[in-house]
Amino acid sequence: MSQTEIYHATIYALKRILLCVATIIALCSCIGEEDEYTHENTSIVKVGDKAPDFTVEMVDGQKVTLSSLKGKIVLINFWATWCPPCREEFKRVQKDIIDHFKGQDFVFLPISRGEKKVTVDQFRDKQGYTFPMGLDPKQEIYNKYASNYIPRNFVVGKDGKVIYVSVGYEPAEFENMLKAIEAAL
């Protein structure tokens, strides 16, 4: 093997290693079950804190400001199209959240973390989702609430304070979140 061939083979191998490392890092930022250590160390906003205000652009171009929703219960859900637990959680959203709380002082506000509109639009079309979704391509909103891990939910009470926080998706945790929303309504 010539030196040029060895060089190219080495570069190719390094690229494959870097791709594997990047994939592992991406998957590790998405968790499947709640872990208290993770929750405590990566949540910036905790139960009882005033929810940091933000304005999010929705996929339809409208803008929603959290403080304008005061007087309603708001479920802020940070997620991503590539995250398996996020996808599992979304399977329950229409029936267990949107339909269940329809007509009440409740807003479901899913915000895609770190993705462009085109990616979210393609995901919505493929999955058949029609509910509004927010975009946070630079993670500016997410970074006000947490430093890592999705899916991540923050239930904000009518007074603007956080009443429930969860990290990851587990059916039991999801049920607890639904109960917290019902109790607040």
Side-chain angles (χ1 to χ4, degrees), residues 112-116 135-143:
S112 173
R113 182 192 83 166
E115 296 181 300
K116 295 180 180 176
L135 303 167
D136 187 19
K138 295 180 182 174
Q139 295 186 202
E140 294 169 335
I141 299 168
Y142 179 81
N143 290 338

Side-chain angles (χ1 to χ4, degrees), residues 2-170:
S2 72
Q3 279 191 324
T4 303
E5 291 172 324
I6 292 171
Y7 172 78
H8 287 292
T10 303
I11 295 299
Y12 177 77
L14 286 173
K15 285 181 180 178
R16 301 226 3 123
I17 290 169
L18 287 173
L19 180 61
C20 288
V21 170
T23 302
I24 290 168
I25 289 170
L27 289 174
C28 287
S29 70
C30 178
I31 62 174
E33 58 187 63
E34 186 160 348
D35 176 346
E36 193 167 320
Y37 173 80
T38 301
H39 178 275
E40 290 300 316
N41 290 321
T42 63
S43 286
I44 295 167
V45 177
K46 312 241 189 287
V47 171
D49 291 349
K50 184 174 189 277
D53 200 18
F54 59 84
T55 298
V56 62
E57 183 174 344
M58 307 303 284
V59 291
D60 65 3
Q62 292 185 25
K63 293 189 182 203
V64 174
T65 300
L66 180 62
S67 59
S68 73
L69 301 173
K70 195 168 184 177
K72 297 180 186 245
I73 303 300
V74 180
L75 169 54
I76 303 168
N77 169 262
F78 292 104
W79 67 282
T81 61
W82 51 262
C83 169
C86 300
R87 288 173 174 241
E88 282 301 307
E89 189 172 61
F90 263 21
K91 289 177 183 177
R92 296 190 63 184
V93 164
Q94 187 65 52
K95 178 182 174 215
D96 294 337
I97 294 178
I98 295 171
D99 294 345
H100 185 79
F101 297 113
K102 187 176 184 171
Q104 298 185 49
D105 286 334
F106 174 78
V107 175
F108 176 56
L109 189 57
I111 301 173
S112 173
R113 182 192 83 166
E115 296 181 300
K116 295 180 180 176
K117 181 182 183 318
V118 65
T119 303
V120 175
D121 279 338
Q122 288 171 352
F123 174 77
R124 284 170 51 89
D125 290 345
K126 184 176 180 182
Q127 300 300 321
Y129 294 132
T130 57
F131 51 85
M133 293 180 177
L135 303 167
D136 187 19
K138 295 180 182 174
Q139 295 186 202
E140 294 169 335
I141 299 168
Y142 179 81
N143 290 338
K144 292 180 177 188
Y145 284 79
S147 62
N148 205 358
Y149 302 111
I150 53 175
R152 188 176 284 270
N153 293 295
F154 294 87
V155 178
V156 181
K158 293 179 180 185
D159 62 356
K161 290 186 178 178
V162 176
I163 58 174
Y164 187 87
V165 177
S166 69
V167 181
Y169 170 73
E170 285 294 319

